[in-house]
mmCIF file of all heavy atoms in Angstrom:
data_model
loop_
_atom_site.group_PDB
_atom_site.id
_atom_site.type_symbol
_atom_site.label_atom_id
_atom_site.label_comp_id
_atom_site.label_asym_id
_atom_site.label_seq_id
_atom_site.Cartn_x
_atom_site.Cartn_y
_atom_site.Cartn_z
ATOM 1 N N GLU B 29 208.570 -9.819 456.324
ATOM 2 C CA GLU B 29 209.793 -9.525 455.580
ATOM 3 C C GLU B 29 209.423 -8.803 454.300
ATOM 4 O O GLU B 29 208.280 -8.863 453.845
ATOM 5 C CB GLU B 29 210.585 -10.799 455.284
ATOM 6 C CG GLU B 29 209.855 -11.814 454.427
ATOM 7 C CD GLU B 29 210.657 -13.091 454.232
ATOM 8 O OE1 GLU B 29 210.638 -13.950 455.124
ATOM 9 O OE2 GLU B 29 211.286 -13.212 453.157
ATOM 10 N N SER B 30 210.393 -8.096 453.732
ATOM 11 C CA SER B 30 210.105 -7.412 452.481
ATOM 12 C C SER B 30 211.289 -7.536 451.530
ATOM 13 O O SER B 30 212.415 -7.797 451.944
ATOM 14 C CB SER B 30 209.769 -5.939 452.724
ATOM 15 O OG SER B 30 210.915 -5.228 453.077
ATOM 16 N N LYS B 31 210.987 -7.360 450.273
ATOM 17 C CA LYS B 31 212.003 -7.392 449.226
ATOM 18 C C LYS B 31 211.546 -6.429 448.147
ATOM 19 O O LYS B 31 210.348 -6.294 447.900
ATOM 20 C CB LYS B 31 212.131 -8.803 448.661
ATOM 21 C CG LYS B 31 213.143 -8.920 447.524
ATOM 22 C CD LYS B 31 213.379 -10.355 447.141
ATOM 23 C CE LYS B 31 214.269 -10.513 445.930
ATOM 24 N NZ LYS B 31 215.583 -9.931 445.996
ATOM 25 N N THR B 32 212.511 -5.750 447.513
ATOM 26 C CA THR B 32 212.161 -4.832 446.434
ATOM 27 C C THR B 32 212.962 -5.156 445.177
ATOM 28 O O THR B 32 214.065 -5.701 445.244
ATOM 29 C CB THR B 32 212.425 -3.361 446.812
ATOM 30 O OG1 THR B 32 213.807 -3.215 447.136
ATOM 31 C CG2 THR B 32 211.582 -2.924 447.971
ATOM 32 N N TRP B 33 212.352 -4.832 444.060
ATOM 33 C CA TRP B 33 213.015 -4.907 442.758
ATOM 34 C C TRP B 33 212.872 -3.537 442.129
ATOM 35 O O TRP B 33 211.829 -2.904 442.237
ATOM 36 C CB TRP B 33 212.323 -5.919 441.849
ATOM 37 C CG TRP B 33 212.378 -7.329 442.330
ATOM 38 C CD1 TRP B 33 213.296 -8.280 441.989
ATOM 39 C CD2 TRP B 33 211.468 -7.983 443.227
ATOM 40 N NE1 TRP B 33 213.013 -9.464 442.630
ATOM 41 C CE2 TRP B 33 211.895 -9.314 443.393
ATOM 42 C CE3 TRP B 33 210.337 -7.560 443.919
ATOM 43 C CZ2 TRP B 33 211.237 -10.226 444.196
ATOM 44 C CZ3 TRP B 33 209.678 -8.456 444.737
ATOM 45 C CH2 TRP B 33 210.129 -9.778 444.870
ATOM 46 N N GLU B 34 213.938 -3.059 441.483
ATOM 47 C CA GLU B 34 213.872 -1.775 440.796
ATOM 48 C C GLU B 34 214.308 -1.939 439.351
ATOM 49 O O GLU B 34 215.150 -2.786 439.046
ATOM 50 C CB GLU B 34 214.742 -0.741 441.516
ATOM 51 C CG GLU B 34 214.218 -0.483 442.915
ATOM 52 C CD GLU B 34 214.770 0.772 443.544
ATOM 53 O OE1 GLU B 34 215.331 1.610 442.830
ATOM 54 O OE2 GLU B 34 214.622 0.899 444.766
ATOM 55 N N LYS B 35 213.733 -1.115 438.478
ATOM 56 C CA LYS B 35 214.080 -1.135 437.056
ATOM 57 C C LYS B 35 215.007 0.041 436.767
ATOM 58 O O LYS B 35 214.644 1.180 437.039
ATOM 59 C CB LYS B 35 212.827 -0.955 436.195
ATOM 60 C CG LYS B 35 212.159 -2.220 435.833
ATOM 61 C CD LYS B 35 211.179 -2.111 434.681
ATOM 62 C CE LYS B 35 210.280 -0.934 434.637
ATOM 63 N NZ LYS B 35 209.226 -1.023 433.635
ATOM 64 N N PRO B 36 216.203 -0.242 436.224
ATOM 65 C CA PRO B 36 217.106 0.866 435.886
ATOM 66 C C PRO B 36 216.523 1.781 434.804
ATOM 67 O O PRO B 36 216.639 2.988 434.882
ATOM 68 C CB PRO B 36 218.368 0.176 435.369
ATOM 69 C CG PRO B 36 218.254 -1.265 435.754
ATOM 70 C CD PRO B 36 216.802 -1.550 435.994
ATOM 71 N N LEU B 37 215.866 1.182 433.808
ATOM 72 C CA LEU B 37 215.287 1.967 432.715
ATOM 73 C C LEU B 37 213.787 1.730 432.636
ATOM 74 O O LEU B 37 213.329 0.603 432.814
ATOM 75 C CB LEU B 37 215.910 1.562 431.378
ATOM 76 C CG LEU B 37 217.430 1.714 431.243
ATOM 77 C CD1 LEU B 37 217.920 1.066 429.963
ATOM 78 C CD2 LEU B 37 217.807 3.191 431.280
ATOM 79 N N ALA B 38 213.047 2.772 432.351
ATOM 80 C CA ALA B 38 211.592 2.642 432.246
ATOM 81 C C ALA B 38 211.203 1.647 431.153
ATOM 82 O O ALA B 38 210.169 0.997 431.237
ATOM 83 C CB ALA B 38 210.960 4.000 431.980
ATOM 84 N N SER B 39 212.042 1.497 430.133
ATOM 85 C CA SER B 39 211.729 0.598 429.020
ATOM 86 C C SER B 39 212.004 -0.874 429.352
ATOM 87 O O SER B 39 211.601 -1.759 428.613
ATOM 88 C CB SER B 39 212.524 1.005 427.781
ATOM 89 O OG SER B 39 213.912 0.959 428.067
ATOM 90 N N ASP B 40 212.715 -1.136 430.451
ATOM 91 C CA ASP B 40 212.992 -2.521 430.853
ATOM 92 C C ASP B 40 211.693 -3.228 431.220
ATOM 93 O O ASP B 40 210.741 -2.607 431.675
ATOM 94 C CB ASP B 40 213.936 -2.572 432.060
ATOM 95 C CG ASP B 40 215.352 -2.135 431.711
ATOM 96 O OD1 ASP B 40 215.671 -2.023 430.519
ATOM 97 O OD2 ASP B 40 216.129 -1.893 432.649
ATOM 98 N N LYS B 41 211.673 -4.540 431.034
ATOM 99 C CA LYS B 41 210.501 -5.349 431.398
ATOM 100 C C LYS B 41 210.727 -5.983 432.769
ATOM 101 O O LYS B 41 211.846 -6.351 433.118
ATOM 102 C CB LYS B 41 210.288 -6.476 430.367
ATOM 103 C CG LYS B 41 209.803 -5.987 429.026
ATOM 104 C CD LYS B 41 208.346 -5.679 429.112
ATOM 105 C CE LYS B 41 207.748 -5.352 427.769
ATOM 106 N NZ LYS B 41 206.446 -4.772 427.910
ATOM 107 N N TRP B 42 209.653 -6.132 433.528
ATOM 108 C CA TRP B 42 209.734 -6.817 434.807
ATOM 109 C C TRP B 42 209.895 -8.317 434.588
ATOM 110 O O TRP B 42 209.295 -8.878 433.674
ATOM 111 C CB TRP B 42 208.467 -6.579 435.629
ATOM 112 C CG TRP B 42 208.371 -5.186 436.172
ATOM 113 C CD1 TRP B 42 207.475 -4.230 435.805
ATOM 114 C CD2 TRP B 42 209.208 -4.595 437.164
ATOM 115 N NE1 TRP B 42 207.703 -3.085 436.522
ATOM 116 C CE2 TRP B 42 208.759 -3.281 437.364
ATOM 117 C CE3 TRP B 42 210.289 -5.055 437.910
ATOM 118 C CZ2 TRP B 42 209.351 -2.412 438.279
ATOM 119 C CZ3 TRP B 42 210.885 -4.194 438.817
ATOM 120 C CH2 TRP B 42 210.417 -2.888 438.994
ATOM 121 N N ASP B 43 210.690 -8.962 435.424
ATOM 122 C CA ASP B 43 210.853 -10.414 435.381
ATOM 123 C C ASP B 43 209.837 -11.019 436.352
ATOM 124 O O ASP B 43 210.142 -11.289 437.517
ATOM 125 C CB ASP B 43 212.280 -10.799 435.760
ATOM 126 C CG ASP B 43 212.533 -12.295 435.650
ATOM 127 O OD1 ASP B 43 211.566 -13.062 435.420
ATOM 128 O OD2 ASP B 43 213.696 -12.706 435.801
ATOM 129 N N PHE B 44 208.610 -11.206 435.871
ATOM 130 C CA PHE B 44 207.549 -11.717 436.729
ATOM 131 C C PHE B 44 207.856 -13.119 437.247
ATOM 132 O O PHE B 44 207.431 -13.481 438.338
ATOM 133 C CB PHE B 44 206.209 -11.699 436.004
ATOM 134 C CG PHE B 44 205.661 -10.314 435.763
ATOM 135 C CD1 PHE B 44 205.029 -10.006 434.570
ATOM 136 C CD2 PHE B 44 205.758 -9.329 436.727
ATOM 137 C CE1 PHE B 44 204.505 -8.740 434.337
ATOM 138 C CE2 PHE B 44 205.242 -8.059 436.512
ATOM 139 C CZ PHE B 44 204.613 -7.763 435.317
ATOM 140 N N ALA B 45 208.603 -13.915 436.495
ATOM 141 C CA ALA B 45 208.953 -15.269 436.945
ATOM 142 C C ALA B 45 209.813 -15.216 438.207
ATOM 143 O O ALA B 45 209.561 -15.940 439.175
ATOM 144 C CB ALA B 45 209.667 -16.032 435.836
ATOM 145 N N GLU B 46 210.801 -14.336 438.223
ATOM 146 C CA GLU B 46 211.669 -14.213 439.395
ATOM 147 C C GLU B 46 210.882 -13.697 440.600
ATOM 148 O O GLU B 46 211.011 -14.199 441.712
ATOM 149 C CB GLU B 46 212.834 -13.259 439.099
ATOM 150 C CG GLU B 46 213.734 -13.055 440.321
ATOM 151 C CD GLU B 46 214.598 -11.804 440.253
ATOM 152 O OE1 GLU B 46 214.837 -11.292 439.145
ATOM 153 O OE2 GLU B 46 214.996 -11.335 441.323
ATOM 154 N N ILE B 47 210.056 -12.708 440.365
ATOM 155 C CA ILE B 47 209.256 -12.124 441.444
ATOM 156 C C ILE B 47 208.316 -13.171 442.034
ATOM 157 O O ILE B 47 208.224 -13.332 443.245
ATOM 158 C CB ILE B 47 208.488 -10.886 440.923
ATOM 159 C CG1 ILE B 47 209.489 -9.772 440.592
ATOM 160 C CG2 ILE B 47 207.439 -10.424 441.927
ATOM 161 C CD1 ILE B 47 208.947 -8.666 439.737
ATOM 162 N N THR B 48 207.647 -13.921 441.173
ATOM 163 C CA THR B 48 206.703 -14.946 441.623
ATOM 164 C C THR B 48 207.402 -16.038 442.408
ATOM 165 O O THR B 48 206.912 -16.491 443.447
ATOM 166 C CB THR B 48 205.963 -15.546 440.407
ATOM 167 O OG1 THR B 48 205.304 -14.476 439.719
ATOM 168 C CG2 THR B 48 204.941 -16.576 440.827
ATOM 169 N N LYS B 49 208.585 -16.442 441.969
ATOM 170 C CA LYS B 49 209.355 -17.471 442.674
ATOM 171 C C LYS B 49 209.719 -16.996 444.090
ATOM 172 O O LYS B 49 209.669 -17.757 445.046
ATOM 173 C CB LYS B 49 210.625 -17.801 441.884
ATOM 174 C CG LYS B 49 211.398 -18.982 442.425
ATOM 175 C CD LYS B 49 212.504 -19.404 441.483
ATOM 176 C CE LYS B 49 213.629 -18.399 441.557
ATOM 177 N NZ LYS B 49 214.810 -18.787 440.792
ATOM 178 N N THR B 50 210.035 -15.716 444.239
ATOM 179 C CA THR B 50 210.412 -15.153 445.531
ATOM 180 C C THR B 50 209.238 -15.128 446.510
ATOM 181 O O THR B 50 209.439 -15.172 447.723
ATOM 182 C CB THR B 50 210.966 -13.721 445.344
ATOM 183 O OG1 THR B 50 212.020 -13.778 444.389
ATOM 184 C CG2 THR B 50 211.502 -13.155 446.627
ATOM 185 N N LEU B 51 208.006 -15.078 445.993
ATOM 186 C CA LEU B 51 206.834 -15.056 446.881
ATOM 187 C C LEU B 51 206.748 -16.320 447.725
ATOM 188 O O LEU B 51 206.168 -16.316 448.800
ATOM 189 C CB LEU B 51 205.541 -14.897 446.072
ATOM 190 C CG LEU B 51 205.399 -13.634 445.232
ATOM 191 C CD1 LEU B 51 204.063 -13.627 444.525
ATOM 192 C CD2 LEU B 51 205.578 -12.390 446.063
ATOM 193 N N ASP B 52 207.293 -17.423 447.241
ATOM 194 C CA ASP B 52 207.384 -18.671 448.001
ATOM 195 C C ASP B 52 206.030 -19.204 448.447
ATOM 196 O O ASP B 52 205.790 -19.443 449.624
ATOM 197 C CB ASP B 52 208.332 -18.471 449.193
ATOM 198 C CG ASP B 52 208.744 -19.797 449.826
ATOM 199 O OD1 ASP B 52 208.754 -20.818 449.107
ATOM 200 O OD2 ASP B 52 209.027 -19.806 451.032
ATOM 201 N N SER B 53 205.125 -19.353 447.512
ATOM 202 C CA SER B 53 203.827 -20.011 447.719
ATOM 203 C C SER B 53 203.000 -19.481 448.892
ATOM 204 O O SER B 53 202.661 -20.226 449.806
ATOM 205 C CB SER B 53 204.027 -21.516 447.891
ATOM 206 O OG SER B 53 204.672 -22.036 446.780
ATOM 207 N N PRO B 54 202.643 -18.211 448.867
ATOM 208 C CA PRO B 54 201.759 -17.712 449.925
ATOM 209 C C PRO B 54 200.369 -18.309 449.779
ATOM 210 O O PRO B 54 199.992 -18.776 448.709
ATOM 211 C CB PRO B 54 201.731 -16.200 449.679
ATOM 212 C CG PRO B 54 201.988 -16.069 448.215
ATOM 213 C CD PRO B 54 202.917 -17.193 447.855
ATOM 214 N N SER B 55 199.595 -18.280 450.866
ATOM 215 C CA SER B 55 198.229 -18.795 450.787
ATOM 216 C C SER B 55 197.269 -17.736 450.244
ATOM 217 O O SER B 55 196.201 -18.070 449.728
ATOM 218 C CB SER B 55 197.766 -19.302 452.149
ATOM 219 O OG SER B 55 197.972 -18.323 453.130
ATOM 220 N N GLU B 56 197.647 -16.450 450.371
ATOM 221 C CA GLU B 56 196.814 -15.357 449.863
ATOM 222 C C GLU B 56 197.706 -14.219 449.382
ATOM 223 O O GLU B 56 198.754 -13.974 449.965
ATOM 224 C CB GLU B 56 195.897 -14.826 450.960
ATOM 225 C CG GLU B 56 194.934 -15.868 451.481
ATOM 226 C CD GLU B 56 194.155 -15.363 452.675
ATOM 227 O OE1 GLU B 56 194.775 -14.886 453.638
ATOM 228 O OE2 GLU B 56 192.924 -15.464 452.632
ATOM 229 N N VAL B 57 197.254 -13.531 448.335
ATOM 230 C CA VAL B 57 198.035 -12.434 447.757
ATOM 231 C C VAL B 57 197.120 -11.250 447.467
ATOM 232 O O VAL B 57 196.001 -11.425 446.982
ATOM 233 C CB VAL B 57 198.722 -12.868 446.437
ATOM 234 C CG1 VAL B 57 199.502 -11.717 445.817
ATOM 235 C CG2 VAL B 57 199.629 -14.068 446.653
ATOM 236 N N ILE B 58 197.624 -10.051 447.752
ATOM 237 C CA ILE B 58 196.958 -8.803 447.373
ATOM 238 C C ILE B 58 197.903 -8.074 446.418
ATOM 239 O O ILE B 58 199.087 -7.940 446.711
ATOM 240 C CB ILE B 58 196.701 -7.895 448.589
ATOM 241 C CG1 ILE B 58 195.732 -8.547 449.549
ATOM 242 C CG2 ILE B 58 196.162 -6.547 448.142
ATOM 243 C CD1 ILE B 58 195.539 -7.735 450.815
ATOM 244 N N LEU B 59 197.382 -7.617 445.297
ATOM 245 C CA LEU B 59 198.138 -6.756 444.391
ATOM 246 C C LEU B 59 197.687 -5.324 444.624
ATOM 247 O O LEU B 59 196.497 -5.048 444.656
ATOM 248 C CB LEU B 59 197.859 -7.112 442.927
ATOM 249 C CG LEU B 59 198.344 -8.443 442.397
ATOM 250 C CD1 LEU B 59 198.041 -8.537 440.897
ATOM 251 C CD2 LEU B 59 199.814 -8.643 442.652
ATOM 252 N N VAL B 60 198.654 -4.423 444.762
ATOM 253 C CA VAL B 60 198.360 -3.013 444.963
ATOM 254 C C VAL B 60 199.221 -2.235 443.980
ATOM 255 O O VAL B 60 200.392 -2.551 443.804
ATOM 256 C CB VAL B 60 198.716 -2.564 446.395
ATOM 257 C CG1 VAL B 60 198.383 -1.098 446.603
ATOM 258 C CG2 VAL B 60 198.030 -3.426 447.427
ATOM 259 N N GLY B 61 198.659 -1.215 443.346
ATOM 260 C CA GLY B 61 199.493 -0.377 442.500
ATOM 261 C C GLY B 61 198.836 0.046 441.221
ATOM 262 O O GLY B 61 197.615 0.083 441.106
ATOM 263 N N GLU B 62 199.686 0.373 440.250
ATOM 264 C CA GLU B 62 199.222 0.898 438.974
ATOM 265 C C GLU B 62 198.354 -0.131 438.256
ATOM 266 O O GLU B 62 198.762 -1.271 438.070
ATOM 267 C CB GLU B 62 200.406 1.301 438.121
ATOM 268 C CG GLU B 62 201.176 2.451 438.754
ATOM 269 C CD GLU B 62 202.430 2.837 437.985
ATOM 270 O OE1 GLU B 62 202.684 2.276 436.909
ATOM 271 O OE2 GLU B 62 203.152 3.707 438.487
ATOM 272 N N SER B 63 197.187 0.278 437.862
ATOM 273 C CA SER B 63 196.195 -0.641 437.280
ATOM 274 C C SER B 63 196.721 -1.408 436.082
ATOM 275 O O SER B 63 196.497 -2.609 435.956
ATOM 276 C CB SER B 63 194.937 0.127 436.892
ATOM 277 O OG SER B 63 194.357 0.684 438.048
ATOM 278 N N GLY B 64 197.440 -0.739 435.184
ATOM 279 C CA GLY B 64 197.959 -1.408 434.001
ATOM 280 C C GLY B 64 198.960 -2.492 434.356
ATOM 281 O O GLY B 64 198.957 -3.580 433.778
#
Side-chain angles (χ1 to χ4, degrees):
E29 62 183 82
S30 72
K31 178 172 174 58
T32 59
W33 296 266
E34 296 196 15
K35 270 197 318 190
L37 301 171
S39 59
D40 290 347
K41 289 282 187 193
W42 288 112
D43 184 352
F44 290 141
E46 178 200 338
I47 292 164
T48 302
K49 188 171 74 174
T50 306
L51 299 181
D52 194 27
S53 302
S55 52
E56 298 173 307
V57 178
I58 295 175
L59 292 184
V60 181
E62 295 176 4
S63 297

